[in-house]
């Protein structure tokens, strides 16, 4: 068995070294590009997913969210609960929020949006909203009658859904906000964009202003407490730590709010699989053609090999090994290009996308999976022509029939 394998490898290596160098280089080059395409889309998907997750954590939920108990509308004594949560060493900050929906009116435009009531001094330790301001200023604790709007609410500033916005509100303008039949006018203090649609379709005012509109002023209530933890802290560990403090409210990690992100991810995954199938089909065709042409040009040689006693399966295996060597060279060159070329370049020079600056993320397990698929495609593409020709009669091969 080992001897047969050695003969197959010898025949494959001789075929490559004595064959047309141009065809060999072209085949390896194409397979390298196919492997890069297979891995690149997966790396892009991983990069986009990572960016989506980052935006959600940094601008909307924090790492963990504490919500009211079942069948209760508010968290009571929110300040005391904040202090208890902040006693954990891994907690960077907390923000007790009120959250509701409201109708905004500006000139002839009217839209609905999510409204948050926050303590600005706490919010800056949980989210990056202060740094997301693109016009005007962030809220401060003493503010009364002032509001900041996401660009999807204000309109302008590159809003993705301009037709469903207020049509171009600017800092200093006054908007009407109606919540539960209570209407107030607010001066727009700032406009922000996180480049994450869900976060940009909201508005923020101080907790005292929203308490007044909801009729719960002075009662220290909250509808959620967003918790920011130190980098690298597993959210499940934080949840366990919070439960150990005797907190009976609902504790949810940011993953539980990422339903729409999972939908986007699954859609992109479907596109990735289609692109991968096309790439593998191209690899199959390339290998099939190269091996077929090689075999046709070596009919007499194959006939002679069979005449001197080399078995048919050894000859077939030699062409399969030849295809695997082509694929192996393509995988190695493609991986080296991705690992030490393209990925480091996008880290130092991030790609500008609508979500922000994005870099590729190469997953070694994913790359190995794509390499295996490319090898399988190459093996199938080489076995078919090699097996069909090796089955021909000895005289037909020698006389070229």
């Amino acid at each position: 068995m080992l001897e047969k394998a050695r003969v197959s490898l010898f025949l494959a290596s001789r075929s490559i070294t004595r064959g047309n160098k141009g065809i060999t280089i072209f085949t390896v080059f194409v397979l390298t590009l196919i492997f890069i395409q297979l891995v690149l889309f997966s790396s892009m998907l991983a990069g986009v997913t990572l960016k989506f997750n980052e935006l959600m954590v940094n601008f909307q939920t924090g790492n963990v969210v504490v919500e009211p108990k079942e069948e209760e509308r508010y968290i009571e004594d929110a300040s005391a609960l904040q202090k208890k949560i902040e006693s954990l060493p891994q907690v960077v900050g907390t923000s007790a929020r009120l959250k509701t929906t409201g109708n905004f009116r500006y000139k002839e435009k009217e839209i609905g949006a999510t409204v948050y009531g926050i303590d600005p001094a706490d919010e800056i330790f949980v989210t990056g909203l202060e740094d997301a301001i693109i016009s005007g200023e962030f809220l401060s604790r003493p503010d009364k009658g002032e509001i900041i709007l996401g660009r999807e609410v204000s309109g302008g500033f590159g809003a993705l859904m301009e037709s469903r916005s207020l049509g171009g509100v600017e800092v200093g303008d006054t908007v009407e906000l109606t919540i539960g039949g209570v209407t107030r006018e607010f001066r727009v203090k700032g406009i922000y964009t996180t480049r994450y649609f869900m976060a940009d379709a909201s508005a923020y005012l101080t907790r005292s202003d929203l308490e007044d509109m909801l009729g719960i002023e002075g009662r220290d209530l909250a509808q959620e407490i967003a918790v920011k933890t130190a980098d690298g802290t597993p959210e499940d560990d934080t949840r366990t730590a919070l439960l150990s403090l005797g907190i009976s409210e609902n504790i949810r990690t940011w993953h539980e709010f990422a339903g729409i992100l999972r939908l986007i991810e699954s859609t992109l995954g479907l596109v990735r699989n289609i692109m991968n199938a096309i790439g593998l089909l191209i690899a199959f065709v390339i290998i099939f053609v190269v091996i077929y042409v090689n075999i046709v040009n070596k009919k007499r040689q194959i006939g002679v090999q069979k005449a001197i006693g080399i078995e048919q399966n050894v000859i077939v295996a030699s062409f399969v090994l030849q295809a695997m060597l082509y694929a192996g060279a393509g995988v190695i060159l493609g991986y080296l290009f991705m690992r030490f070329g393209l990925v480091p370049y996008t880290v130092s020079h991030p790609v500008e996308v609508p979500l922000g600056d994005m870099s590729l993320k190469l997953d070694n397990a994913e790359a190995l999976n794509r390499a295996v698929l490319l090898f399988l495609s190459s093996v199938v593409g080489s076995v078919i022509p090699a097996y069909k020709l090796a089955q021909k009669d000895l005289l037909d091969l020698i006389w070229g029939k």
Side-chain angles (χ1 to χ4, degrees):
M1 186 70 179
L2 182 61
E3 188 63 30
K4 290 180 180 180
R6 290 176 61 186
V7 173
S8 295
L9 183 60
F10 173 77
L11 293 176
S13 60
R14 294 279 286 185
S15 179
I16 292 174
T17 54
R18 293 193 172 187
N20 189 306
K21 299 296 188 295
I23 291 177
T24 299
I25 293 172
F26 174 76
T27 303
V28 172
F29 176 71
V30 171
L31 292 176
T32 300
L33 292 181
I34 291 172
F35 180 75
I36 291 173
Q37 179 258 319
L38 294 175
V39 175
L40 180 61
F41 207 93
S42 296
S43 300
M44 289 175 62
L45 178 58
V48 168
T49 301
L50 192 65
K51 191 66 180 180
F52 265 127
N53 296 343
E54 180 185 299
L55 291 174
M56 171 170 273
V57 171
N58 290 343
F59 295 107
Q60 191 171 29
T61 64
N63 299 95
V64 176
V65 178
V66 179
E67 295 182 328
K69 301 172 186 177
E70 294 294 335
E71 299 182 0
E72 292 191 12
R73 186 175 179 185
Y74 296 105
I75 297 172
E76 297 183 357
D77 202 6
S79 298
L81 184 54
Q82 279 185 269
K83 290 178 182 178
K84 184 184 286 190
I85 295 170
E86 289 170 359
S87 67
L88 293 175
Q90 67 265 40
V91 174
V92 174
T94 64
S95 177
R97 301 166 173 168
L98 292 169
K99 179 181 178 182
T100 187
T101 56
N103 290 320
F104 287 90
R105 185 178 179 83
Y106 175 72
K107 297 181 179 177
E108 301 302 319
K109 285 273 192 173
E110 186 172 348
I111 64 168
T114 302
V115 181
Y116 290 91
I118 61 170
D119 182 334
D122 290 341
E123 189 71 23
I124 60 175
F125 290 104
V126 177
T127 64
L129 283 173
E130 184 180 27
D131 297 327
I133 297 292
I134 52 175
S135 180
E137 300 175 346
F138 190 61
L139 294 170
S140 60
R141 187 174 281 172
D143 286 343
K144 288 287 184 182
E146 296 196 302
I147 193 169
I148 63 170
L149 305 175
R151 67 175 181 178
E152 300 299 330
V153 177
S154 68
F157 302 97
L160 301 177
M161 302 291 287
E162 181 72 31
S163 62
R164 297 187 180 181
S165 71
L166 292 175
V169 175
E170 296 183 356
V171 172
D173 289 341
T174 299
V175 297
E176 281 187 4
L177 172 61
T178 301
I179 297 175
V182 179
T183 300
R184 296 279 191 277
E185 288 190 347
F186 288 88
R187 175 186 172 273
V188 178
K189 186 176 183 181
I191 295 171
Y192 70 89
T193 178
T194 64
R195 296 189 176 184
Y196 174 47
F197 177 83
M198 300 296 290
D200 289 348
S202 303
Y204 290 80
L205 55 153
T206 61
R207 269 183 72 187
S208 59
D209 275 339
L210 191 51
E211 284 175 346
D212 181 53
M213 294 190 72
L214 294 173
I216 57 171
E217 57 270 26
R219 293 172 57 186
D220 195 19
L221 301 176
Q223 284 165 309
E224 64 180 33
I225 298 177
V227 181
K228 179 71 172 179
T229 58
D231 291 341
T233 305
E235 283 78 13
D236 287 334
D237 289 355
T238 303
R239 191 213 302 260
T240 302
L242 291 173
L243 291 171
S244 70
L245 293 176
I247 295 174
S248 57
E249 282 77 11
N250 288 328
I251 302 171
R252 302 170 65 187
T253 68
W254 66 267
H255 299 276
E256 297 174 57
F257 296 88
I260 189 169
L261 301 188
R262 300 289 83 83
L263 179 62
I264 294 171
E265 184 180 348
S266 64
T267 302
L268 292 176
L270 178 61
V271 176
R272 175 197 62 190
N273 292 337
I274 293 172
M275 295 296 292
N276 287 346
I278 293 172
L280 292 172
L281 180 60
I282 294 172
F284 169 82
V285 172
I286 290 291
I287 289 294
F288 182 93
V289 171
V290 169
I291 297 300
Y292 181 78
V293 170
N294 195 11
I295 289 173
V296 168
N297 290 334
K298 294 179 179 178
K299 275 186 178 182
R300 285 196 175 92
Q301 183 178 323
I302 294 170
V304 171
Q305 290 170 357
K306 292 183 74 173
I308 62 176
I310 298 177
E311 296 180 13
Q312 175 180 307
N313 59 350
V314 173
I315 296 172
V316 172
S318 71
F319 287 105
V320 172
L321 284 173
Q322 184 179 338
M324 292 179 69
L325 289 172
Y326 287 145
V331 166
I332 292 171
L333 291 175
Y335 181 81
L336 291 175
F337 175 76
M338 289 292 296
R339 171 60 67 188
F340 301 106
L342 196 56
V343 171
Y345 179 82
T346 61
V347 171
S348 57
H349 301 83
V351 180
E352 185 74 18
V353 298
L355 295 174
D357 294 337
M358 187 201 76
S359 56
L360 298 176
K361 185 177 184 299
L362 180 61
D363 187 323
N364 288 330
E366 193 78 17
L368 179 61
N369 175 268
R370 298 296 176 264
V372 170
L373 290 176
L374 186 59
F375 270 105
L376 289 176
S377 181
S378 300
V379 167
V380 174
S382 60
V383 164
I384 294 173
Y387 183 75
K388 289 189 70 174
L389 197 67
Q391 278 189 314
K392 282 196 171 187
D393 184 78
L394 178 62
L395 293 178
D396 288 343
L397 290 170
I398 293 176
W399 294 109
K401 292 182 180 179

